[in-house]
Amino acid sequence: MARFLLRRLVTSVVVLFGLGVVTFLMTQVLPGDPARAAAGRNATAEQVAAVSARLGLDKPLWEQFPRYLGDLLHGDLGTSVFTQRPVLDDIGQALPSSIELVLAAMLINVLVAVPLGVYAAYRRGRAADVAARLIVLFGAGVPVFWLGLMLQLVVADRLGALPLTGQLGFGREVPSITGMTSVDALLSGDPGALWDAVSHLLLPAVTLAAAFIAVVARTVRSSMITVLDSDFVTLARATGASERRVVIRHGLRNALVPVSTILGMQLGWMLGSTVLVESVFGRKGIGAYAVNAVLQNDLYAVIGTVLVIGVVFVLANIVVDLVQLWLNPRLRQPARARARARAVPVEGAVEGAAT
């Protein structure tokens, strides 16, 4: 287990180093002069040259790169041209709102996709399976921005069931504790504000989750079919175990190992997808911050956003590895023990799985 975690940590460090290389190259190839951006749009040539010398941008690339990595390790992502504040402070203020949206979308994703995939696998080849696959196909093919606009038109405008945009109703405020509006409303003990925040969160979360539900449901269905056709499930049924026990305990738990990998990857993908969702629903988050950075040609803000999303990917993968260690006890065994386990005859393996 220790070697497994050590390998994952080393891999994560290598990935983060590669991310640093990519973002450094972005500073060289993206349009715009970082020195002029830091000095201001109205700066003179002499002022731009002074800023370039102060930031080390007048030095060769092989001297700039170590300094760039050192700044990243110290949390220095530069200064935003638009806000005139450190990019790290801006992202720290915007990120909690996006995390709130991603967590709500992930919750909807799991609550819808996992039961849908399990039911489709259990009823494979029947009408319910076909209907589930059509729903999944529709969710995978619908553009995020179009779905968001349609939900606004039908649910918010025509039916008036949920708010159209924003994070709270007009004139309502909650104290900023975590930066997540619904969590802050809960911590402040204001039920009205809590429902207001949740109602504003539902449509964006559903919009963000739609495409990801399709991926998870397909993965769960495929994994469940493989597990339900395995010998240890057949043996469990033969010993008189109930269908519910067979499907949930023997089937679903074993099928969740590959699904956990997909869910971990989706955390990073969702954070990147907030760019469209937050723009459509008028929410303040890292997606809206990235859009403003691109429109303002704010180079350091764009690169900072890319770095944060990349770090979220890496952290999500580490969490997935820990979840897989919990779901799959064989990963906690030394390599020699796993090799001996694979050498056990099929009959013995089936008997051990059934017990």
Side-chain angles (χ1 to χ4, degrees):
M1 178 178 175
R3 289 186 177 181
F4 177 83
L5 293 177
L6 181 60
R7 286 198 303 269
R8 292 298 186 268
L9 289 176
V10 171
T11 303
S12 300
V13 171
V14 173
V15 171
L16 289 175
F17 177 79
L19 182 62
V21 173
V22 171
T23 53
F24 174 74
L25 294 177
M26 288 175 63
T27 65
Q28 307 299 318
V29 300
L30 286 179
D33 183 1
R36 177 165 291 280
R41 296 180 179 179
N42 299 322
T44 63
E46 292 78 11
Q47 291 173 326
V48 172
V51 171
S52 179
R54 177 169 57 84
L55 297 178
L57 299 177
D58 57 340
K59 299 183 181 299
L61 294 181
W62 57 85
E63 294 184 20
Q64 292 185 39
F65 182 61
R67 178 170 181 170
Y68 175 78
L69 288 182
D71 290 341
L72 292 184
L73 291 175
H74 289 86
D76 184 4
L77 303 182
T79 302
S80 169
V81 176
F82 182 65
T83 64
Q84 292 299 311
R85 298 174 54 200
V87 171
L88 188 62
D89 292 346
D90 287 342
I91 292 178
Q93 185 175 354
L95 188 59
S97 177
S98 295
I99 292 176
E100 177 187 34
L101 176 58
V102 168
L103 292 178
M106 183 59 72
L107 179 62
I108 295 172
N109 183 14
V110 173
L111 292 179
V112 174
V114 174
L116 186 63
V118 171
Y119 188 71
Y122 187 69
R123 298 288 184 180
R124 56 179 162 170
R126 303 180 186 177
D129 182 23
V130 175
R133 281 186 286 174
L134 289 176
I135 294 173
V136 165
L137 184 63
F138 175 79
V142 174
V144 172
F145 68 90
W146 182 87
L147 178 60
L149 293 174
M150 289 301 102
L151 288 176
Q152 285 181 323
L153 176 63
V154 176
V155 179
D157 184 49
R158 299 291 174 82
L159 299 178
L162 292 171
L164 188 68
T165 60
Q167 293 175 247
L168 281 173
F170 180 75
R172 188 186 292 275
E173 295 182 359
V174 295
S176 180
I177 302 173
T178 65
M180 304 180 191
T181 309
S182 59
V183 177
D184 291 343
L186 178 63
L187 294 177
S188 63
D190 189 344
L194 176 60
W195 168 244
D196 193 12
V198 171
S199 63
H200 279 81
L201 183 62
L202 283 176
L203 287 185
V206 170
T207 303
L208 182 60
F212 298 96
I213 288 174
V215 176
V216 176
R218 284 201 304 262
T219 305
V220 171
R221 179 184 180 276
S222 176
S223 184
M224 279 293 296
I225 288 175
T226 302
V227 173
L228 291 177
D229 286 342
S230 59
D231 292 334
F232 72 88
V233 170
T234 303
L235 181 58
R237 283 175 171 151
T239 57
S242 64
E243 261 323 274
R244 181 176 180 179
R245 181 184 179 89
V246 168
V247 172
I248 295 178
R249 180 169 180 177
H250 295 282
L252 182 58
R253 181 168 182 177
N254 287 278
L256 284 180
V257 175
V259 176
S260 64
T261 303
I262 298 296
L263 291 175
M265 297 289 290
Q266 285 185 344
L267 283 174
W269 295 336
M270 281 187 176
L271 191 60
S273 300
T274 58
V275 171
L276 291 174
V277 176
E278 290 177 349
S279 298
V280 171
F281 288 94
R283 293 181 62 87
K284 298 178 181 179
I286 195 171
Y289 180 75
V291 171
N292 290 331
V294 172
L295 294 177
Q296 298 291 332
N297 197 23
D298 197 340
L299 179 62
Y300 287 119
V302 173
I303 293 175
T305 304
V306 173
L307 277 169
V308 168
I309 294 176
V311 170
V312 170
F313 262 107
V314 173
L315 294 178
N317 279 313
I318 293 176
V319 172
V320 167
D321 291 335
L322 295 176
V323 171
Q324 288 187 340
L325 281 174
W326 176 68
L327 289 175
N328 191 353
R330 288 176 297 179
L331 294 176
R332 298 194 292 266
Q333 300 174 355
R336 292 181 179 178
R338 292 201 301 270
R340 288 197 300 269
R342 285 194 295 267
V344 173
V346 175
E347 292 79 0
V350 171
E351 181 179 356
T355 57

